Amino acid sequence: MSDPATSAAPRPQAGAVDTAAVRELLGAMKATLGTLDQTFRTLNEQSSQVSSLGPNMQTAAAEILALRQQIRKQEKRQEKRVNEIKRMLKEDIKLQAEEQMRDGIRAQIRSEIVKQVKDQMAAQIPAHLPVPLRTQAAESRQQLAEVKIALDNSEARRANAILRPSPSNMTDTLSVVLKPDGTKSALYPANLRSLFSYENAKMKELLKDFGLHDYGVPEKNLNRFMAHIGIRFEIVPMPASATSPRRKVGDPIAVATN
């Protein structure tokens, strides 16, 4: 007689166990055991009926007894197989839990190492780079701006250097020399005629705009500003007349060229 339980349940293989498949297999085995139990009871009842039929049925009774023994053996094999599967399932779940714990510990260790490395680098970098990169970039931009201002002022002074103290040059436009902050002074003269007409107080304000020294003498202040913007001649004051003891920057002057 064929073994129905053996064909229904494949032998467990080494390796990971599919939990859903194992549960399904256990359910099938329980159902099979229930069926066998019911079959066994039915056979007992039928055996009693056969015995009552007399000696002519002794052969059938012997076959039924043999079948009963075979079913009991099958029950034992089935129970042994179920216990083995339960044991494997417990071991597999235990191994999976241990593996998950190991993975979690490894992840925590990696995270902690990365954090410590970042903290150490953040603490050591300032020692090797005293000036932050942003500060360096800002300083570089400032230096570039200063170089551009210096170049622009150099070109303006070169243009102003060709002016001469002649009537034809008095209304020529003065090239603008910028202040140290790179802006144009609101007091910057348009031409030589405008510059020579400045009162002493206005000339002082002009010098202050450019951070130049105030000599307290109108002619010296005028010459200082003209030299600063590139003009290559100086103003020489003429002696004051008896009728005009006080004079302004725009009073009659003599010119000394460099």
Side-chain angles (χ1 to χ4, degrees):
M1 179 179 292
S2 62
D3 187 349
T6 303
S7 59
R11 292 183 179 274
Q13 297 180 354
V17 177
D18 188 337
T19 304
V22 170
R23 290 177 178 174
E24 183 179 353
L25 178 60
L26 290 175
M29 288 180 174
K30 289 180 180 179
T32 301
L33 289 175
T35 302
L36 291 174
D37 184 61
Q38 182 61 38
T39 302
F40 180 73
R41 292 176 183 175
T42 302
L43 288 174
N44 282 335
E45 294 176 358
Q46 293 176 351
S47 178
S48 299
Q49 294 175 1
V50 169
S51 298
S52 64
L53 295 177
N56 294 333
M57 300 300 295
Q58 290 181 356
T59 302
E63 291 180 358
I64 292 173
L65 180 61
L67 178 60
R68 183 188 303 169
Q69 293 175 349
Q70 184 178 355
I71 291 174
R72 286 181 177 178
K73 291 180 181 179
Q74 178 61 30
E75 286 178 348
K76 291 181 180 180
R77 286 197 297 268
Q78 193 81 352
E79 183 178 359
K80 182 178 180 182
R81 187 169 303 157
V82 169
N83 291 334
E84 179 67 16
I85 292 175
K86 287 181 179 180
R87 182 188 63 78
M88 292 179 62
L89 182 60
K90 289 181 180 180
E91 291 180 355
D92 187 67
I93 292 175
K94 182 180 179 181
L95 290 175
Q96 289 180 2
E98 291 177 352
E99 186 65 26
Q100 290 176 357
M101 290 179 63
R102 283 196 294 268
D103 292 342
I105 293 172
R106 293 192 193 103
Q108 290 180 358
I109 292 174
R110 286 194 296 268
S111 177
E112 184 63 24
I113 291 174
V114 170
K115 181 179 180 299
Q116 291 183 8
V117 170
K118 287 183 178 178
D119 292 344
Q120 291 179 3
M121 290 181 64
Q124 294 176 7
I125 284 176
H128 299 283
L129 299 175
V131 181
L133 294 179
R134 289 186 177 179
T135 303
Q136 292 183 14
E139 291 177 353
S140 298
R141 286 193 293 270
Q142 179 63 27
Q143 291 173 358
L144 289 174
E146 292 174 356
V147 169
K148 185 178 184 303
I149 292 171
L151 290 175
D152 291 344
N153 286 345
S154 178
E155 290 296 325
R157 291 186 178 101
R158 186 177 298 133
N160 291 334
I162 65 176
L163 297 176
R164 292 294 179 265
S166 64
S168 61
N169 291 137
M170 295 300 289
T171 57
D172 289 348
T173 301
L174 290 174
S175 294
V176 177
V177 175
L178 301 174
K179 296 190 297 182
D181 63 0
T183 62
K184 178 184 177 181
S185 171
L187 301 175
Y188 199 87
N191 48 48
L192 288 175
R193 185 182 299 280
S194 173
L195 177 60
F196 292 161
S197 69
Y198 279 15
E199 297 287 343
N200 191 31
K202 189 173 183 179
M203 178 59 65
K204 288 177 178 288
E205 289 296 323
L206 183 61
L207 292 177
K208 184 178 179 181
D209 251 6
F210 284 86
L212 301 176
H213 178 67
D214 179 6
Y215 291 97
V217 179
E219 287 77 12
K220 285 188 175 181
N221 286 345
L222 177 60
N223 288 334
R224 178 70 186 91
F225 181 75
M226 290 195 301
H228 180 70
I229 66 174
I231 295 176
R232 294 185 177 181
F233 61 85
E234 294 182 349
I235 301 300
V236 179
M238 295 180 64
S241 64
T243 59
S244 180
R246 300 181 63 186
R247 46 183 315 283
K248 302 182 297 182
V249 173
D251 287 343
I253 57 175
V255 177
T257 57
N258 294 330

